[in-house]
Every structure is written in structure tokens, then in C-alpha cells.
Amino acid sequence: MVSWIRPRSRRSDSEQEARRSSIEDFVVITGFSGAGKSQAMACFEDAGYFCVDNLPPEMISSLADLFRHEGSKVERAAVVSDVRGGAYFQSLVQVLDELVELGTNYRLLFLDASEETLVDRYKETRRRHPLAVGGQVASGIHAERELLEPLRERADVSIDTTDMSASRLRKVVADKMLTQQTPGKLAVTFLTYGYKHGAPRDADLAFDVRFLPNPHWEPDLREKTGLDQPVIDYVEGSDGIADFYEKLLPLLDYLLPAYVREGKAHLMIGIGCTGGRHRSVVIAEHLARVYGEREDLLVDVVHRDVHKPPYRP
């Protein structure tokens, strides 16, 4: 869910205006170690933000103070602050309150992931968790969870990165945090996936298309994907596909503007089949063509599992 800046200051409007920073967007990134904060910061860096990693909370205030000085040319900035800051990290909540007191509005991005995923990522990188006791990653994650809970509740945008690749995380961060650059347009991502690889955690809507005939059981189509014309012809010619589109399109036509009215900037629509290689891919590409022609939408397609090898009986 996308949330924009909430009023946090207790000062009067006149007092705040006198001290307001010229910076247009100040983003604080935090969350679990291993949840993808470096990738998120890279997204802001690519967008032209002034970025600083591993900044202790007290230095966030100092940096914001520099932005308030006359002559500062920094208009957009993003900083990462997490438990690597040691004991100082516990003061981050207080520092965030002080930011608005000093006239600097901010947005807080919180990155989360399942414990199993975080442990696996640490095993892959062979790095030590900053709070691990005796090298036990799980103990570090548990300690980190207690420290992060007050920040999770204050987050403007929270992203669960459990099922995300690095490139997809950057895409989601851009959609949820940078869409102000195209106001009035809803960013819609059609995400295909295979249920045998797990359903996505971040889908706002999900449609199961396993009721359609499966090209996997056709020997000539098994090794192909929904991006190949023979598979497209097979799925689009299936019994039931026309009725499915006839019911699905009016539903989406109703829901999309309803989400816009509620202030949503990004909508993730999951399309799932058994392996995520055939039926879901064909349908997502079809929907992207239909809705990609609308000027009020920014449409993207992500095929999460299309390149994973098919099951061989």
C-alpha cells in the first residue's frame, strides 16, 4: 500500500514555513538487514537523488541541516539508516520527529522479508549479521525485529522483498516511491508466477488461470513459453478463454479507477498458473496490450518464473 507524507509537526504553519527546507523529497530507508536496502538506494541514485548509505540517526539531522542552508543545491535525497549504526540506531524515531520540527518533511521506506529468506541471503553472501550472537543469523534477526517494530508502524511505504529479485525490487521501489513524477497515472504491473514456486506476497489482486488447458502436457510446447507464438495460439484458442476475458476486463475496468480514487499509485496484479511459463504469461501479455493503450495507466509486465525449467515427468 502506498501512503504519502503524513503531517507530523506540532509547530504552527507560520513557524514551519520560516524554517522549511528547500529540499523537495527526503527519503529515509530502513528495515531488516538483507532485505534489499542497498538495491532500494540504487533506485533513488539512478533517479538523481543525493544518496548516503549506513548513516547513523544523529547524522541524518546534520545532513538535513546542511540542506537547509542557503545555497544548497540538493533537491532530492535518500539515506539508509539501520542497525549497522549500533546503539545509536535506537534514536531514529526521535530523529524523525525532529526532522519535521526543523521543517524537513520526509518519507519513510521500510523493507521487510521473511526470516527464512533473510537467513538464506546471509548464507549466500557469507556475511555476518550485525546483531548476530555467536554467528547465529536467526538470533540477530530476532533482535533486529524488536528494534524495527516502532519504525514499521511509521512507514509511509512498506515492501516485503521475500520473493523479489534485485531488479524487480528496484522496479517496485520506483513504482511506489517515484510515481509522483507522473501524477494522475496509476502504475499497473501484471506479474506472472507459478504456484509450484509459491504465490507472490505483494500482489494486490491475484487470478488463478489453472482452469485452462495446460500446454505443458503437449510435448511440442513444453519447452516453449507463453512468449512463443505456438503457445500463444494454443492458450488463446482454449475453451473458456473468451468467457474469462469477457468477465475479467469489466472487473478490472471497475477496479482500476476505484483504486485511484483511494489514492493508490501502484497496483500489482498477479496471474498464476502451475509453472508460470505458459498460460499466465500469455494472459498477462494480452492484458498488457489491452491496458497499455490507455493514457491514464503506466503498464508493465514481469514474468517471475518464465525462465525456470519445466518439470519433466
Side-chain angles (χ1 to χ4, degrees):
M1 177 178 182
V2 178
S3 306
W4 304 114
I5 297 172
R6 304 182 295 271
R8 297 181 172 93
S9 175
R10 294 184 293 273
R11 292 180 180 272
S12 68
D13 291 343
S14 59
E15 287 178 305
Q16 245 194 314
E17 189 62 34
R19 305 190 64 174
R20 189 169 302 281
S21 168
S22 60
I23 191 168
E24 296 176 357
D25 191 24
F26 189 75
V27 178
V28 179
I29 305 168
T30 192
F32 285 88
S33 302
K37 296 185 295 294
S38 296
Q39 295 296 332
M41 187 178 67
C43 176
F44 288 103
E45 190 171 11
D46 291 344
Y49 280 62
F50 177 88
C51 296
V52 182
D53 188 17
N54 193 19
L55 197 64
E58 286 78 3
M59 294 188 68
I60 294 177
S61 298
S62 300
L63 187 63
D65 188 53
L66 289 175
F67 296 151
R68 287 190 294 273
H69 285 345
E70 185 177 355
S72 172
K73 298 183 183 298
V74 177
E75 297 180 348
R76 298 179 297 168
V79 301
V80 173
S81 185
D82 53 32
V83 296
R84 288 174 294 173
Y88 298 107
F89 180 70
Q90 299 185 45
S91 65
L92 181 55
V93 172
Q94 178 182 349
V95 169
L96 294 178
D97 287 335
E98 293 174 352
L99 280 179
V100 180
E101 286 288 311
L102 297 173
T104 302
N105 283 322
Y106 69 89
R107 293 187 294 155
L108 181 62
L109 171 60
F110 188 94
L111 298 183
D112 197 354
S114 69
E115 180 175 332
E116 180 181 3
T117 297
L118 295 174
V119 171
D120 287 344
R121 289 175 182 173
Y122 266 95
K123 287 181 178 178
E124 290 173 1
T125 61
R126 298 184 179 180
R127 298 185 63 187
R128 179 184 178 276
H129 191 286
L131 298 182
V133 177
Q136 296 180 347
V137 176
S139 66
I141 295 172
H142 295 162
E144 191 174 26
R145 191 176 303 280
E146 294 183 12
L147 291 173
L148 290 173
E149 196 58 37
L151 294 164
R152 185 204 302 270
E153 297 172 354
R154 298 168 66 103
D156 294 294
V157 174
S158 182
I159 300 175
D160 188 325
T161 70
T162 299
D163 298 319
M164 294 186 186
S165 64
S167 60
R168 183 163 162 239
L169 171 58
R170 290 194 295 270
K171 169 63 178 171
V172 172
V173 170
D175 285 342
K176 293 197 173 190
M177 299 294 290
L178 302 178
T179 51
Q180 311 92 296
Q181 298 170 0
T182 53
K185 289 193 175 185
L186 176 67
V188 178
T189 298
F190 292 103
L191 169 68
T192 68
Y193 60 92
Y195 279 99
K196 73 175 186 179
H197 302 298
R201 294 170 177 263
D202 56 337
D204 300 293
L205 299 170
F207 297 97
D208 183 347
V209 298
R210 288 177 291 182
F211 66 92
L212 295 170
N214 191 351
H216 175 83
W217 301 115
E218 300 293 331
D220 294 340
L221 301 179
R222 181 173 301 159
E223 300 294 333
K224 300 183 185 298
T225 74
L227 300 174
D228 297 316
Q229 194 60 48
V231 176
I232 296 172
D233 294 340
Y234 181 91
V235 174
E236 294 288 7
S238 300
D239 290 339
I241 189 72
D243 290 340
F244 177 64
Y245 286 143
E246 185 177 344
K247 292 176 173 60
L248 178 61
L249 295 179
L251 176 62
L252 294 179
D253 290 341
Y254 169 78
L255 289 175
L256 295 182
Y259 279 117
V260 172
R261 287 193 298 271
E262 288 300 310
K264 198 166 185 63
H266 176 258
L267 189 71
M268 181 77 73
I269 301 176
I271 310 291
C273 60
T274 304
R277 304 181 68 252
H278 296 120
R279 293 164 289 182
S280 60
V281 173
V282 172
I283 291 172
E285 291 289 338
H286 177 92
L287 295 174
R289 287 193 298 273
V290 171
Y291 289 97
E293 297 177 354
R294 290 178 42 168
E295 295 184 356
D296 60 329
L297 301 176
L298 296 172
V299 175
D300 186 31
V301 184
V302 176
H303 300 305
R304 192 189 73 179
D305 301 324
V306 71
H307 296 302
K308 292 180 180 178
Y311 167 76
R312 292 174 174 80

